[in-house]
Coordinates of all heavy atoms in Angstrom, one line a residue:
G27 N -60.3 -11.6 -215.4 CA -58.9 -11.9 -215.9 C -57.9 -10.7 -215.6 O -58.3 -9.7 -215.0
F28 N -56.7 -10.9 -216.1 CA -55.6 -10.0 -215.9 C -55.5 -9.1 -217.1 O -55.4 -9.6 -218.2 CB -54.4 -10.8 -215.6 CG -53.1 -9.9 -215.6 CD1 -52.6 -9.4 -214.5 CD2 -52.4 -9.7 -216.8 CE1 -51.4 -8.7 -214.5 CE2 -51.3 -8.9 -216.8 CZ -50.8 -8.4 -215.6
L92 N -62.3 -16.1 -215.8 CA -61.6 -15.9 -217.1 C -60.1 -15.9 -216.9 O -59.6 -15.1 -216.1 CB -62.1 -14.6 -217.8 CG -61.3 -14.2 -219.0 CD1 -61.9 -14.8 -220.3 CD2 -61.1 -12.7 -219.2
S93 N -59.5 -16.7 -217.7 CA -58.0 -16.7 -217.8 C -57.3 -16.7 -216.4 O -57.3 -17.7 -215.8 CB -57.5 -15.5 -218.6 OG -56.2 -15.8 -219.0
M94 N -56.8 -15.6 -215.9 CA -56.3 -15.6 -214.5 C -57.3 -16.0 -213.5 O -57.0 -16.8 -212.6 CB -55.7 -14.2 -214.1 CG -55.1 -14.2 -212.8 SD -54.3 -12.6 -212.3 CE -55.8 -11.7 -211.9
Y97 N -57.1 -19.7 -213.5 CA -56.0 -20.2 -212.7 C -56.5 -20.2 -211.2 O -56.2 -21.1 -210.4 CB -54.8 -19.3 -212.8 CG -54.2 -19.0 -214.1 CD1 -53.5 -17.9 -214.3 CD2 -54.5 -19.9 -215.2 CE1 -52.9 -17.6 -215.6 CE2 -53.9 -19.5 -216.5 CZ -53.2 -18.4 -216.6 OH -52.7 -18.1 -217.9
R131 N -42.4 -12.6 -217.4 CA -43.4 -11.9 -216.5 C -42.6 -11.2 -215.4 O -43.0 -10.1 -215.0 CB -44.3 -13.0 -215.8 CG -45.3 -13.6 -216.7 CD -46.5 -14.0 -215.9 NE -47.2 -15.2 -216.4 CZ -48.4 -15.1 -217.0 NH1 -48.9 -13.9 -217.2 NH2 -49.0 -16.1 -217.4
M150 N -50.4 -6.3 -224.5 CA -51.4 -7.3 -224.5 C -52.6 -7.0 -225.4 O -53.1 -8.0 -226.1 CB -52.0 -7.4 -223.0 CG -51.2 -8.2 -222.1 SD -52.0 -8.5 -220.5 CE -53.1 -9.9 -220.9
M189 N -48.8 -15.2 -211.1 CA -49.0 -16.1 -212.2 C -47.8 -16.9 -212.6 O -47.9 -18.1 -212.9 CB -49.6 -15.3 -213.4 CG -51.0 -14.8 -213.2 SD -51.8 -14.2 -214.7 CE -51.0 -12.6 -214.9
L216 N -53.9 -16.8 -226.8 CA -53.1 -17.0 -225.6 C -53.4 -18.3 -224.9 O -52.5 -18.9 -224.4 CB -53.5 -15.8 -224.6 CG -52.7 -14.6 -224.6 CD1 -52.8 -13.9 -226.0 CD2 -53.1 -13.6 -223.5
H242 N -59.3 -14.2 -226.9 CA -59.0 -14.5 -225.5 C -60.1 -14.0 -224.5 O -60.2 -14.4 -223.4 CB -57.6 -14.0 -225.2 CG -57.2 -14.4 -223.8 ND1 -57.0 -15.8 -223.4 CD2 -56.8 -13.7 -222.7 CE1 -56.5 -15.8 -222.2 NE2 -56.4 -14.6 -221.7
Ligands
MLT301 C1 -55.6 -13.1 -218.5 O1 -56.3 -12.8 -219.4 O2 -56.0 -13.2 -217.3 C2 -54.1 -13.3 -218.8 O3 -53.9 -13.3 -220.1 C3 -53.5 -14.5 -218.1 C4 -52.1 -14.7 -218.4 O4 -51.4 -13.7 -218.6 O5 -51.6 -15.8 -218.3

Side-chain angles (χ1 to χ4, degrees):
F28 170 92
L92 170 89
S93 198
M94 182 177 80
Y97 307 155
R131 287 204 209 260
M150 283 189 80
M189 287 193 284
L216 270 63
H242 184 62

